Every structure is written in C-alpha cells, then in structure tokens.
Amino acid sequence: MKQLKKNQIIGIAAAAVLVVALIIIFCLNRNGKSEPLASGNPETSDSGISVSGASVTGAALTAADIPEADEANATRISLKQNDTQISGEGARVREDEVQIKKAGTYILSGTLSQGKIEVDAGEEDVVVLVLDGVDVTNTSGKAFESQKAAHTSIQLKAGSENQFKSGSETDLTESTDSATAGSNTDSSTADSGTASGAAISSEGDMSITGEGSLQVSGYRNDGINCKKSLCIAGGALDITAKNDRI
C-alpha cells in the first residue's frame, strides 16, 4: 500500500513538472520575439482571451527588468477628444495623437474616441506609462504604438479599467485587403500601407504589469504586437483580435 501511494505521488509530481515545462516552452520565444499566444479569426475572436498575472517573456526581458513608476515626478496627461491636457514635460499633442518624446513616468487618464498614444523617445530611453482609467480607440490604425524606446512599460493603476481598441467590430468579418482599402485615411492616427494595425504595438521591449485591468481589441488585425521582448507580469488582460491576440 505504501509503495502504491509512493508511486502515485511520483506520478503526480512528474505530471506537474511536465505541465510547467510545457508552460515554459509556450511562454518563451527565440531572439526575444513574441510568438502568437493564440490564433484568432472572425469566428472565434469575439470570445477573446483572458490573461491574469500571466507571463509572456522574451529571452532578453524578465519581470525583474520592469522599472518602477516615479509618480511624484510624473507628467500627467488627461485625455479628452479635441482637448487633451498635459501637465509636465516630455509629451505633446498633435491633433488627437498624444506623443511621448522622452524618458520618464507619465500618468494617463481619460478618453479618446478617435486617437492614438505614441511613444517616440530616444533609443536608450525607458518610458513608464501609468494607466488610470484610459480608453483609446483608433478606427483606422493602432491605438497605442511605441515606435522608439529601449523599454516601454504599461502599468495598470490598482482598480483602474483601461482599454485600447483598433478598428471596429465590423472589421472582424472583413478581409485584410478590404480593411486596408476602406480604413486608411490621411489622418495622423491612421496606419499606412497595410491593415497591420495591432491595438498595441511596440518596436522595442515592452512590459505590462499592475493591479488594474486592460481590455485590448484588435479588430483590424492583432491584439498586442511586440517586435522584441514582451513581459506580462501583472494586471487582468482581456484580449480580442481578428488575427493573433499576442
């Protein structure tokens, strides 16, 4: 009887190790490039995917690399359609596109029904964005894009509800070609060339953490697209996308 129980315990332990190994293989990716967490399509994207306290990390970035927010010296950005207000340095507004131009901590709140948040800082800059009730929609392209920064960290304020949405629900049933032809405009918030507008996009390392929630709706194409390392170390994420969610 003791031997049987011992074998059962060993079997359970081995199964647990296998599950952990599979999770590690699933979460890590080569060369710091994020792989799709799940594939989407118009038939299944509506259900989305929920991530709570999960970790999707590239080889070059871990939770230990996530910078702390310096809220005492932060620039505060209050989003409002046609009337966004900025208190502090390092950011500017171009039409309804908010541009972050230098390293530092930025606290964002408010709504843009048609706009975009863009990070265009120095190549070695670390930018921390604290979201405290942010709702940004861009029907013609990316809702959030980090074009240039060494590390962009999205930190969700405790108890806050945040959303980035690219496109509209009708885009889920359209082909990529038709979405490209019908959605691109001359607006500063539109993508050019293709309908590749993920709701959240980053050219450099990116992390997402905190104790708030983040809804990501990539109706045009992907949900979150990071070309280098991506680390999701906290927060409750609900991701819906036409194609890859992450």
Side-chain angles (χ1 to χ4, degrees), residues 157-233:
K157 192 80 170 179
S160 68
E161 297 180 355
N162 307 280
Q163 174 176 250
F164 287 110
K165 181 168 69 175
S166 172
S168 61
E169 291 187 35
T170 57
D171 290 327
L172 289 174
T173 57
E174 295 179 358
S175 69
T176 301
D177 290 341
S178 62
T180 303
S183 297
N184 287 332
T185 68
D186 291 333
S187 167
S188 63
T189 59
D191 291 330
S192 61
T194 66
S196 60
I200 296 177
S201 175
S202 179
E203 296 289 325
D205 291 345
M206 182 168 65
S207 60
I208 300 174
T209 189
E211 299 179 6
S213 66
L214 177 61
Q215 182 176 340
V216 182
S217 301
Y219 293 136
R220 284 169 54 82
N221 195 353
D222 297 338
I224 300 175
N225 189 326
C226 181
K227 290 191 176 180
K228 289 194 175 179
S229 298
L230 170 66
C231 179
I232 300 176

Side-chain angles (χ1 to χ4, degrees), residues 1-24:
M1 181 64 69
K2 291 183 177 179
Q3 184 63 35
L4 178 59
K5 289 184 178 179
K6 183 178 180 180
N7 290 339
Q8 289 176 335
I9 293 172
I10 292 173
I12 293 171
V17 170
L18 177 60
V19 170
V20 172
L22 289 174
I23 291 173
I24 291 173

Side-chain angles (χ1 to χ4, degrees), residues 105-125:
T105 298
Y106 301 81
I107 301 175
L108 291 80
S109 61
T111 299
L112 292 178
S113 56
Q114 177 59 33
K116 178 182 179 182
I117 307 298
E118 179 181 280
V119 176
D120 187 16
E123 293 182 354
E124 303 300 322
D125 284 354

Side-chain angles (χ1 to χ4, degrees), residues 43-50 238-240 245:
E43 289 73 35
T44 62
S45 290
D46 287 342
S47 60
I49 183 168
S50 296
D238 186 353
I239 306 172
T240 299
R245 298 181 180 105

